[in-house]
Amino acid sequence: MALGQWIDGDESASEMLGRVLKERTSLVVPPLHRVPLRVGNVVELVGPSGSAKTQILIQAAVNCILPKEWSGIHYGGLGCPAVFIDLDCRLDITRLLQVLKLRIVEATSNGSLSTGDGENFDALYATCLRRFSYIRCYDSFEFLATLKTMHHKLQKERDSLGVGLHLLVIDRKGFSLANVLEAAVEEVRKLLLVHPSIVIASKATIFGDRSSDAVKRDKTLSESELKHGKPDGGLGLYREYMPSAWQSFVTHRVFVRNSDEHLKLSSCEHQPTYSSEWLLPSLGFLDKFIVTNAGVFSVP
């Protein structure tokens, strides 16, 4: 849904963002909101550095671990466990904690629960964090070992929390998995059979030379267009470097990138915008979104 469709009457963009925080539901986060996702889906989030891929993954994880309701207040989450596997070892976990806290505060600003109500706030915050697991893998073999041993950990958490894994996030910016990727795909496949969940994996873009057979899209783009896309919004050229085992495993694919545009939220606040395009399935149009302290939001 576009920002213009969200704004009520004369409310400002900042007021709209606060209101939407109270209305958002489930795992929906731009640009993933365009296609219904269900357990068993494997979503590939493709884009160059600086295209907000990790921010989207963080928002999806927060939406997953937040409850739908708590003490009569609507939070719009799923109340389910999420696992975040960081293969780049550079995730700032305080960013996830910031988004989680702001989601709680914004959703309860007109309710009975607040940060001043320390006991209740802390209980909700702690409950959400118990549903979240963060794992760092320093090399591809550690990643494979993690997948092989994850079943036992997830089973214990399901017995403890009373609900099973719903979201598996794999955040990677490098290209070091090729030597174990086929085995990793098989391990994830086995995991999904026992712990049905949605998988969202980020993938960095390789912008290829114009002679490569693997180059996708237009071959006449400038360097600026490679980074930001064409003036009409189309994608820059990029190369597919993942092996066929992974490509056939992916059920959904969306391309994201940064842009030169900014959204004016107030007289002194401007947010950079990002754009996205669904490739699998192909939807034939672009979405735009911004990243604020409170999360990811669609714009016109």
Side-chain angles (χ1 to χ4, degrees), residues 11-55:
E11 71 177 351
S12 67
S14 296
E15 291 169 337
M16 178 280 298
L17 292 177
R19 175 173 56 78
V20 170
L21 279 171
K22 302 180 180 66
E23 298 173 354
R24 269 191 308 197
T25 59
S26 71
L27 195 61
V28 174
V29 51
L32 306 181
H33 65 307
R34 287 295 187 185
V35 176
L37 299 176
R38 61 180 184 273
V39 295
N41 289 158
V42 179
V43 184
E44 186 179 67
L45 193 60
V46 189
S49 176
S51 57
K53 296 188 299 295
T54 298
Q55 298 301 320

Side-chain angles (χ1 to χ4, degrees), residues 210-282:
R210 290 168 173 77
S211 63
S212 172
D213 291 336
V215 170
K216 310 293 184 181
R217 299 289 175 125
D218 197 333
K219 295 182 172 64
T220 61
L221 304 180
S222 67
E223 292 303 315
S224 174
E225 288 169 337
L226 289 179
K227 181 178 180 182
H228 300 296
K230 297 188 295 183
D232 64 3
L235 293 178
L237 58 88
Y238 66 95
R239 261 193 331 191
E240 178 57 74
Y241 57 89
M242 299 292 275
S244 59
W246 172 258
Q247 293 184 50
S248 62
F249 187 47
V250 169
T251 62
H252 297 72
R253 181 176 292 111
V254 59
F255 187 95
V256 294
R257 63 168 179 268
N258 56 345
S259 75
D260 292 322
E261 300 177 14
H262 288 73
L263 175 68
K264 183 177 180 181
L265 296 181
S266 66
S267 58
C268 58
E269 185 179 6
H270 294 75
Q271 287 287 346
T273 64
Y274 304 84
S275 61
S276 64
E277 179 179 351
W278 275 89
L279 306 181
L280 182 66
S282 177

Side-chain angles (χ1 to χ4, degrees), residues 128-141:
C128 292
L129 290 184
R130 279 195 295 271
R131 299 184 183 121
F132 180 74
S133 297
Y134 174 64
I135 302 171
R136 278 188 170 182
C137 296
Y138 291 90
D139 57 51
S140 56
F141 295 101

Side-chain angles (χ1 to χ4, degrees), residues 191-212:
L191 201 66
L192 294 181
L193 291 176
V194 183
H195 304 278
S197 54
I198 297 172
V199 179
I200 307 177
S202 66
K203 184 180 76 174
T205 306
I206 293 180
F207 291 116
D209 62 79
R210 290 168 173 77
S211 63
S212 172

Side-chain angles (χ1 to χ4, degrees), residues 137-148 176-177 179-180:
C137 296
Y138 291 90
D139 57 51
S140 56
F141 295 101
E142 187 173 356
F143 173 53
L144 185 58
T146 295
L147 293 175
K148 287 180 176 292
S176 60
L177 293 181
N179 54 340
V180 301

